[in-house]
């Protein structure tokens, strides 16, 4: 494979990028923005090498504990379960939640072979069993897989005597939290049950 072909193949790994878009991106960088190409390469390399996961909540972090887990001012009674760091960021932007998080890094998807174990349910159950935690808020998305994930986790948590709530409806069915407007997220948090 030529270097150009390798670049196009690499770009095709990005979500939503097919052959044509990958070609367009490659030609753009080579024709118009070599400097941008170099800084993109450096940024990707640095991110791949330096960004790991928070030991406590599993979100992306450059340090063993992320900024939120390391913040003693958050409300330790609340633990909010989200599917991804992007969903966590959406909740943070809504400015309506002050507890801690647990980031699943996925959702149950039997067709793709993703079960309870792959999404860190064991670690979640341990984290939720800590004495300070009084309520676990399930904020997985309102898609079929997100709902299934919430259902399975709720059963497991309740069977251990842990109080569980789910983000209220109002978040449109089928939607990823990441793309929901901030006011709706704030309401869904207040109206959780
Ligand atoms: Zn963390």
């Amino acid at each position: 494979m030529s270097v150009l072909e390798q670049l196009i193949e690499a770009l095709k790994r990005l979500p939503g990028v097919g052959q044509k878009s990958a070609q367009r991106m490659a030609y753009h960088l080579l024709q118009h923005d070599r400097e941008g190409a170099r800084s993109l390469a450096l940024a990707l390399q640095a991110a791949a090498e330096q960004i790991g996961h928070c030991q406590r909540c599993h979100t992306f972090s450059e340090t063993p504990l992320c900024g939120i887990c390391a913040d003693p001012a958050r409300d330790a009674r609340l633990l909010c379960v989200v599917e991804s760091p992007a969903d966590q960021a959406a909740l943070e932007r809504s400015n309506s939640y002050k507890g801690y998080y647990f980031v699943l890094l996925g959702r149950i998807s039997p067709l793709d072979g993703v079960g309870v174990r792959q999404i860190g349910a064991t670690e979640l159950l341990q984290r939720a069993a800590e004495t300070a935690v009084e309520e676990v808020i399930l904020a997985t998305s309102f898609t079929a897989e997100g709902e299934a994930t919430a259902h399975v986790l709720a059963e497991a948590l309740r069977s251990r005597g842990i109080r569980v709530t789910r983000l209220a409806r109002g978040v449109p069915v089928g939607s990823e939290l990441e793309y929901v407007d901030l006011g709706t997220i704030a309401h869904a948090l207040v109206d959780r049950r």
Side-chain angles (χ1 to χ4, degrees):
M1 236 197 282
S2 73
V3 173
L4 180 58
E5 284 164 346
Q6 284 177 38
L7 172 59
I8 291 167
E9 283 306 306
L11 287 166
K12 276 163 68 180
R13 301 179 78 106
L14 293 167
V17 176
Q19 179 72 24
K20 271 193 177 166
S21 327
Q23 266 173 13
R24 209 161 40 230
M25 288 178 199
Y27 292 149
H28 170 82
L29 288 169
L30 292 169
Q31 276 177 29
H32 306 294
D33 198 6
R34 295 251 169 170
E35 197 41 52
R38 285 191 191 96
S39 61
L40 178 61
L42 289 174
L44 281 172
Q45 183 154 20
E49 276 164 17
Q50 293 165 30
I51 300 178
H53 293 285
C54 170
Q55 289 168 353
R56 201 155 161 74
C57 75
H58 296 182
T59 198
F60 292 136
S61 179
E62 293 172 42
T63 47
L65 269 192
C66 73
I68 293 174
C69 288
D71 179 359
R74 310 273 312 195
D75 187 345
R77 293 170 300 178
L78 299 176
L79 184 65
C80 182
V81 179
V82 292
E83 284 173 11
S84 67
D87 288 351
Q88 180 191 22
L91 277 163
E92 280 298 289
R93 276 196 309 273
S94 81
N95 230 344
S96 45
Y97 179 71
K98 293 294 166 222
Y100 291 101
Y101 291 93
F102 189 90
V103 183
L104 296 172
L105 298 171
R107 52 190 170 189
I108 293 171
S109 176
L111 290 178
D112 304 315
V114 181
V116 197
R117 241 181 243 149
Q118 282 80 17
I119 60 171
T122 314
E123 291 90 338
L124 168 61
L125 291 174
Q126 278 166 10
R127 173 74 178 87
E130 288 177 21
T131 42
V133 180
E134 291 178 11
E135 178 184 348
V136 175
I137 303 163
L138 296 174
T140 52
S141 59
F142 287 89
T143 58
E145 289 170 345
E147 293 280 20
T149 304
H151 180 75
V152 170
L153 294 178
E155 298 255 290
L157 289 159
R158 285 197 183 107
S159 74
R160 284 161 176 78
I162 297 161
R163 182 166 172 241
V164 181
T165 54
R166 176 86 168 111
L167 273 200
R169 290 272 174 203
V171 176
V173 174
S175 55
E176 313 260 347
L177 217 51
E178 182 186 350
Y179 304 111
V180 174
D181 75 273
L182 302 181
T184 305
I185 291 180
H187 276 120
L189 261 171
V190 173
D191 297 338
R192 68 183 184 268
R193 62 201 140 181

